[in-house]
Amino acid sequence: MRETWFKILPEEYAQAVVIQKNMRIYTDVCGENFYTKRKPTITFMLSNNKSFTFDVTMEIYQSVEQGTTGILKYKEYKKWSFFVDFQRHPQTETAVVIFKGLLDSNVAVGNNVYPQKMPALTFQFASGQQVTLPVPPEVYNSVFVNEHGALTYRQQGTLFYFVSFQRQQ
């Protein structure tokens, strides 16, 4: 119980902005050997101007930049605080549909796995970056290649999740 007591604390949610990213360097001792290790840390500023610095996974560290906003999920007890998760707010960028196609995927039902084709669109951002996202059939059927608009998406690490696409008028 001593090392896991924080797990029973209630989770708290707050609007937050990433104000600093650092790589904490420390030495770990194992017997007579010394190991230098790096631990990613992020400092978040809440809307009430309270700030927290947490050790985070490399995936979370690489998925945000200074100024990224989102919802910080954490636990707090007296002077201790514990990182749970950070969900970026959806981002919107101008993009053009450059390809329509189907993605192969698998759906598991019980012990059975069934192949499935999912409608997908490939978008190109103004920066030249391209991303292929599975989209709902109604979106797939309503847009054309070379159509410009505002793509709203969520990004977690290197994964992108489709939210919406608003065509330019």
Side-chain angles (χ1 to χ4, degrees), residues 4-15:
T4 60
W5 63 269
F6 69 90
K7 291 182 180 182
I8 62 173
L9 294 173
E11 291 180 348
E12 305 211 20
Y13 299 84
Q15 295 283 341

Side-chain angles (χ1 to χ4, degrees), residues 135-150:
V135 297
E138 58 273 13
V139 173
Y140 182 85
N141 293 327
S142 69
V143 299
F144 299 100
V145 171
N146 293 325
E147 207 158 6
H148 293 259

Side-chain angles (χ1 to χ4, degrees), residues 14-18 42 44-46 54 56 60 63-65 67-74 83-89 155-157:
Q15 295 283 341
V17 62
V18 174
I42 298 177
F44 298 92
M45 177 72 73
L46 307 187
F54 294 111
V56 297
I60 296 283
S63 73
V64 299
E65 296 299 327
T68 302
T69 61
I71 303 295
L72 175 64
K73 190 185 328 181
Y74 65 100
F83 178 82
V84 177
D85 194 19
F86 181 69
Q87 292 293 320
R88 296 168 62 142
H89 289 310
Q155 184 178 358
Q156 187 68 34

Side-chain angles (χ1 to χ4, degrees), residues 55-102:
D55 290 347
V56 297
T57 64
M58 188 57 81
E59 181 183 4
I60 296 283
Y61 183 83
Q62 292 174 338
S63 73
V64 299
E65 296 299 327
Q66 191 169 331
T68 302
T69 61
I71 303 295
L72 175 64
K73 190 185 328 181
Y74 65 100
K75 295 182 178 191
E76 187 175 26
Y77 180 74
K78 297 186 180 180
K79 63 180 179 177
W80 294 286
S81 56
F82 307 93
F83 178 82
V84 177
D85 194 19
F86 181 69
Q87 292 293 320
R88 296 168 62 142
H89 289 310
Q91 297 171 260
T92 301
E93 289 190 49
T94 301
V96 61
V97 177
I98 61 170
F99 184 77
K100 291 176 73 168
L102 299 173

